[in-house]
Amino acid sequence: MAATVKGLDLAREFYRKAVKSIILRQRPRLRHSAALIGSGSEVLGYDDAVSTDHHWGPRVMLFVAPEDHSVGGRRLHQALATGLPYRFMGYPTNFSAPKVGEGDQGTQLMQEIKVGKINHRVEILTLDGYLSDYLGVGVDDSLSAADWLSIPQQKLLSFTGGEVFHDELGLQRLRDRYCYYPRDVWLYILAAGWSRIGQDEHLAPRAGATGDELGSALIAARIVRSIMLLCFLYEKRYAPYPKWLGRAFATLTCSDALTPILRVVQMGATWRERERHLCAAYQVLNSLHNASGLTAPIEPAVQAFHERAFQVSSAWRYSERLLAEIEDPELNAISESRLIGSVDLFSDSTDFREAVELRGRIAGLYTN
């Protein structure tokens, strides 16, 4: 089914014109918040016609107080099942049962019906339950530095993305707490991002110089990703997961300067060509860093790697100066160990990063 409307717009209108009236009839005094946040390409505005083949459609998340959730929530769910229209803005409001197995991960599809109860996707939740399930933290938790580092940026981005349509329970205030990293956490991740570049930048030319152009190209691609992630950090934007990384990167202020350079790095036929354009990218990163005012200016942007004929950014200079600006004792202690950065920097495994039940154990990597 081709989408003729953006999913976030559909959800907003679905709440205002269909869901809200049923709430007012069923529970006129029910204090609630309504939103579309969390998972789903439409939350970030990236949905298109292809998105309609899974999870997409008229859906809303209703947050209620714990005392209104159990019995009252079931009654409201039933009222919606019998009171919602069968179609809204041209789309079925009924969904198939969640698919399980074969990688479906609970996929639900819009499914046309004309009689009977609607298997709708108006989720009735509590703030604490949702936050625990999605981020692995409680509403009243005070996050430590290790907690911040253990939550994937995609999760933070999607929790603070989307839109709140109605708010009587303080959902937006809760989202505001996660709008971006605390300053010292940000400095630490920046330092770790530079460290990743430092680990690879001399290896790409070294591999190429031995005749291993494929190996050199693979390492250069890693550096490109590290550069992109640093750019999100300097512009204080959470980076999405890989599917949307390039699309989101295109919206950064620095993308106009960097995109053509990084494309050539990816397509370069020889290690010398890749090295030349990586050095141009390091120049842009150097300008971003110096413009940030986070440390004293760092010059030059490019240097020779020891006595070898390789040009690098000498990324360790940025890491050292950024770490020196951190005041938080917890982060200073973390920094004295391996500079692994946040979970996004040391793992690209979806299963690992999406495992909310592992978040506490991941946080333990910084403190044990």
Side-chain angles (χ1 to χ4, degrees), residues 260-271:
I261 297 171
L262 298 181
R263 283 185 180 276
V264 177
V265 173
Q266 296 269 269
M267 297 184 295
T270 67
W271 71 270

Side-chain angles (χ1 to χ4, degrees), residues 158-311:
S158 54
F159 177 65
T160 56
E163 185 178 334
V164 177
F165 311 134
H166 178 84
D167 194 13
E168 293 178 288
L169 299 183
L171 174 57
Q172 188 56 52
R173 287 197 306 273
L174 183 61
R175 281 158 40 97
D176 290 344
R177 286 169 47 189
Y178 294 86
C179 65
Y180 205 66
Y181 296 116
R183 177 181 170 82
D184 281 356
V185 174
W186 177 47
L187 291 171
Y188 170 81
I189 301 175
L190 276 166
W194 276 107
S195 181
R196 277 188 61 94
I197 290 176
Q199 292 162 9
D200 284 340
E201 60 182 352
H202 62 291
L203 299 181
R206 174 61 176 147
T210 68
D212 181 9
E213 290 290 0
L214 177 59
S216 173
L218 286 171
I219 299 167
R222 280 166 51 99
I223 298 171
V224 167
R225 178 178 177 273
S226 295
I227 289 170
M228 293 171 69
L229 293 178
L230 266 181
C231 290
F232 280 95
L233 287 164
Y234 275 114
E235 297 198 17
K236 301 187 80 170
R237 295 262 302 273
Y238 291 130
Y241 73 132
K243 180 166 64 171
W244 306 123
L245 187 63
R247 186 168 178 176
F249 182 78
T251 67
L252 298 182
T253 302
C254 64
S255 67
D256 287 345
L258 273 171
T259 296
I261 297 171
L262 298 181
R263 283 185 180 276
V264 177
V265 173
Q266 296 269 269
M267 297 184 295
T270 67
W271 71 270
R272 281 297 190 191
E273 184 180 4
R274 287 187 287 274
E275 179 190 48
R276 182 169 68 254
H277 290 285
L278 279 172
C279 286
Y282 300 148
Q283 294 278 1
V284 177
L285 275 185
N286 176 263
S287 297
L288 281 177
H289 177 82
N290 289 343
S292 74
L294 292 172
T295 73
I298 296 175
E299 301 292 352
V302 176
Q303 295 179 331
F305 181 71
H306 299 298
E307 303 301 320
R308 299 178 183 179
F310 306 148
Q311 297 295 305

Side-chain angles (χ1 to χ4, degrees), residues 88-108:
F88 183 81
M89 293 178 64
Y91 298 97
T93 59
N94 182 72
F95 287 80
S96 63
K99 292 184 180 181
V100 295
E102 299 181 2
D104 283 310
Q105 298 177 328
T107 299
Q108 289 183 269

